[in-house]
Amino acid sequence: MAEIVAFVLVPALFLFGLGVFLPFVPVIAALRGLALVMQVLAGYGRTLFGVVHRRTPEFQTLPPYRPQDEEVKAYRNYFFGPAYRDLRQLLTLEQRSYAATVGDSFRTVTSRQFVAPAQHRALTVPYGLTLYLGLCAGTAVALPLLGLLMALHALVLALLTGGARLLAGTLRAVDRAVLWMKRLRTGMLCPHCFERVPYPAYDCPSPTCRRRHSDIRPGTYGIFRRRCECGQRMPTLLMLMSRDARLQAYCVHPHCGKPMNTDAGHMPEVVIPLIGGQAAGKTQLMAAILLSLEHAAANGGPAITHADEESDASYQVLREVLRIRGHTRATQKTLPRAHSFVLGSGRSQRLVHLFDTAGERFVDRDDTDALRYARAARTFVFVLDPMAVKAFWTTLEPSPGPLLDRTLGSTVDPEEVFARSVQAVAAMGAPLKRSRLAVAISKTDLLTEHGLVPARLEDSDSARTWLCDVLGLHSLVKAMELDFREVRFFRTAAVAGEEAGVDGSVTRFAEWCLRG
């Protein structure tokens, strides 16, 4: 009887149970395969979240982009390096996660259904084989799905990266177009080295940092904002800097690196060099021009603001000297720093640079070659001191009274100064044929007091006639008119009245120089 039970009834019952179980095999296998697929996809989601957001050590397989390792001490924009680093980390980690998930699933089935089953192996082996079948199917299905997700991630990343780079390039182009509209095609003028700066460097605005960023335009280190190593954010475009939040600009040329005007790049620039011999009256004329603009602003004219502390400090000294009718200190022979001021308001604002250069530099050719700022000028001022002309002392008869002090005049021949200056400026590539020249006949207040200049010498034609017929400067006047597109002659008296009112001749002179 025992044999019948063991060899007949038990096998029959097993086969019957197996027959009942077989219809459920596809369902069980499909469910186990689906569970594996979901498990793999959930692992992908956790890995993606960890790599992109959490960034804890277990999700890092590659060294991060650190500001201290960069040439520019700033954080990279996500789509300029870090995004592809995250993609590579995600691929590496997901390969490990996929292999671990599949391997753990097979090992779990082997252990529970074959090696150490909780039930009789006659029951667990068919179920384990069914689970194996489901795991094999799930492994086969999960792999292409995972590859599809990775490919989709890479595609989205490529599109976003392309969009970010296109946006950065577009913003750069817009910024460049704005500079072109402001007539800054070749960059801004450094008031120290006189070179054109395509784009200034800027210090971090944090008072505790001051790291210098050489190029803040949209790109690798930010599109709209750049984040310094210290964490401080700064705008990447000049048009994103408000009037009260403009960063300190610096020259990028290696031999300079000095601070530029904070208004550089935000408005058109005007460069006006003052050319003349030693003691011709250039500095006093510049002071009178500034004072006349200040009074015009007080009377409803264009507003004037000194662009930097150095310009403001020097002007305060010059104004006081002018008011007491004293003599300004001789300009030092070292290369001049521009006296810069902002003229106008709103869209009419202009950053004006006046260059007062020592007269000695207009005599020595080696010195004139250093005056590179003249390349950016389209209006030139030539200060002509009549007392530097020999004919002035031989042909004019002073009125009765104290004699005119010869030491008050320049000792350098104006024709020599003009010839050397024009030759040097032309050699630098300045378009003189498209430039204007304002000839300022200086010290006419002093000469009028001694009866050496006609009381009325107001218009350009009469001043030109006086220079040619009385002082005999036909050759000089002719050379000026040949070299420049437009030449105007002005009688100027760089003096201030009791209430600091500037002579009207200077006001008219300044208006013409700054016209347009």
Side-chain angles (χ1 to χ4, degrees), residues 284-427:
Q284 280 192 294
L285 179 61
M286 183 181 72
I289 291 173
L290 295 171
L291 190 56
S292 70
L293 294 174
E294 185 179 80
H295 278 275
N299 294 321
I304 178 173
T305 306
H306 296 281
D308 51 74
E309 294 181 359
E310 188 173 342
S311 294
D312 184 64
S314 64
Y315 169 64
Q316 298 303 327
V317 174
L318 291 175
R319 184 175 65 172
E320 290 305 313
V321 172
L322 200 64
R323 290 180 63 182
I324 63 175
R325 297 202 173 204
H327 297 290
T328 57
R329 183 171 60 94
T331 305
Q332 299 301 302
K333 194 179 178 182
T334 55
L335 282 175
R337 185 196 184 281
H339 186 104
S340 306
F341 59 91
V342 176
L343 186 65
S345 58
R347 293 188 177 181
S348 66
Q349 281 187 322
R350 290 170 289 168
L351 179 59
V352 182
H353 302 286
L354 294 180
F355 284 93
D356 173 25
T357 306
E360 296 92 326
R361 284 193 170 272
F362 298 109
V363 178
D364 190 334
R365 173 61 187 272
D366 294 335
D367 288 334
T368 55
D369 286 344
L371 308 180
R372 296 180 294 274
Y373 58 81
R375 290 178 299 189
R378 296 299 175 267
T379 298
F380 293 80
V381 172
F382 184 77
V383 182
L384 193 157
D385 182 3
M387 289 190 286
V389 182
K390 293 181 180 179
F392 176 85
W393 300 101
T394 58
T395 60
L396 295 181
E397 291 292 335
S399 59
L403 294 177
L404 184 64
D405 188 356
R406 284 176 175 265
T407 61
L408 297 178
S410 175
T411 59
V412 185
D413 184 9
E415 295 193 52
E416 180 184 0
V417 173
F418 180 80
R420 289 185 180 273
S421 302
V422 168
Q423 185 179 7
V425 171

Side-chain angles (χ1 to χ4, degrees), residues 2-294:
E3 289 80 0
I4 295 173
V5 173
F7 294 103
V8 177
L9 293 180
V10 171
L13 289 174
F14 176 75
L15 292 174
F16 176 77
L18 190 60
V20 174
F21 175 71
L22 285 177
F24 295 97
V25 167
V27 177
I28 296 173
L31 290 175
R32 186 63 187 95
L34 179 61
L36 178 62
V37 171
M38 298 305 294
Q39 189 177 1
V40 170
L41 296 182
Y44 173 81
R46 287 192 300 271
T47 304
L48 177 63
F49 182 77
V51 169
V52 175
H53 179 69
R54 291 181 61 188
R55 300 187 181 278
T56 48
E58 65 268 23
F59 293 106
Q60 294 185 358
T61 61
L62 297 172
Y65 288 98
R66 302 185 307 170
Q68 54 267 40
D69 299 330
E70 299 286 339
E71 183 178 355
V72 176
K73 305 305 179 185
Y75 288 89
R76 281 179 175 249
N77 179 270
Y78 183 70
F79 296 107
F80 286 80
Y84 282 102
R85 168 183 170 272
D86 286 350
L87 180 62
R88 291 165 59 195
Q89 290 187 134
L90 180 63
L91 180 61
T92 301
L93 292 172
E94 194 51 38
Q95 287 176 341
R96 298 174 185 174
S97 175
Y98 174 79
T101 301
V102 172
D104 290 345
S105 298
F106 274 97
R107 281 189 290 272
T108 299
V109 171
T110 301
S111 174
R112 292 180 179 179
Q113 309 302 329
F114 294 96
V115 177
Q119 305 295 328
H120 195 279
R121 283 188 172 82
L123 299 176
T124 60
V125 168
Y127 183 65
L129 293 174
T130 302
L131 294 180
Y132 272 160
L133 179 63
L135 290 176
C136 290
T139 301
V141 171
L143 187 59
L145 286 178
L146 194 61
L148 180 62
L149 285 176
M150 294 294 296
L152 183 61
H153 183 112
L155 177 62
V156 171
L157 179 58
L159 291 175
L160 291 177
T161 300
R165 293 176 183 269
L166 179 62
L167 178 59
T170 302
L171 290 174
R172 278 177 172 255
V174 170
D175 193 56
R176 174 55 57 187
V178 171
L179 291 177
W180 273 60
M181 292 173 61
K182 295 174 181 176
R183 301 190 294 276
L184 298 173
R185 297 176 179 82
T186 57
M188 305 124 220
L189 183 71
C190 173
H192 296 278
C193 69
F194 319 133
E195 297 287 354
R196 283 292 185 180
V197 179
Y199 219 86
Y202 292 93
D203 276 355
C204 173
S206 173
T208 58
C209 177
R210 296 304 179 187
R211 290 178 177 85
R212 187 160 298 175
H213 297 258
S214 59
D215 189 351
I216 65 170
R217 287 177 292 181
T220 302
Y221 301 101
I223 297 179
F224 292 101
R225 289 285 187 273
R226 169 179 292 198
R227 188 155 67 102
C228 178
E229 183 182 354
C230 68
Q232 177 71 40
R233 294 185 180 274
M234 52 197 299
T236 58
L237 294 167
L238 288 169
M239 56 187 176
L240 296 179
M241 299 182 194
S242 64
R243 175 72 185 180
D244 298 328
R246 290 178 182 172
L247 304 178
Q248 176 59 60
Y250 289 87
C251 179
V252 297
H253 294 286
H255 62 276
C256 182
K258 294 180 180 179
M260 299 173 60
N261 305 115
T262 55
D263 295 297
H266 295 278
M267 59 193 68
E269 294 185 358
V270 177
V271 176
I272 301 180
L274 277 71
I275 300 172
Q278 184 180 10
K282 301 184 302 298
T283 304
Q284 280 192 294
L285 179 61
M286 183 181 72
I289 291 173
L290 295 171
L291 190 56
S292 70
L293 294 174
E294 185 179 80

Side-chain angles (χ1 to χ4, degrees), residues 436-440 460-461 463 486-490 509 512 515:
R436 305 183 305 158
L437 176 66
V439 180
S460 177
D461 291 338
E486 182 181 3
V487 181
R488 286 292 182 91
F489 300 88
F490 296 87
F509 174 78
W512 189 87
R515 187 182 65 190

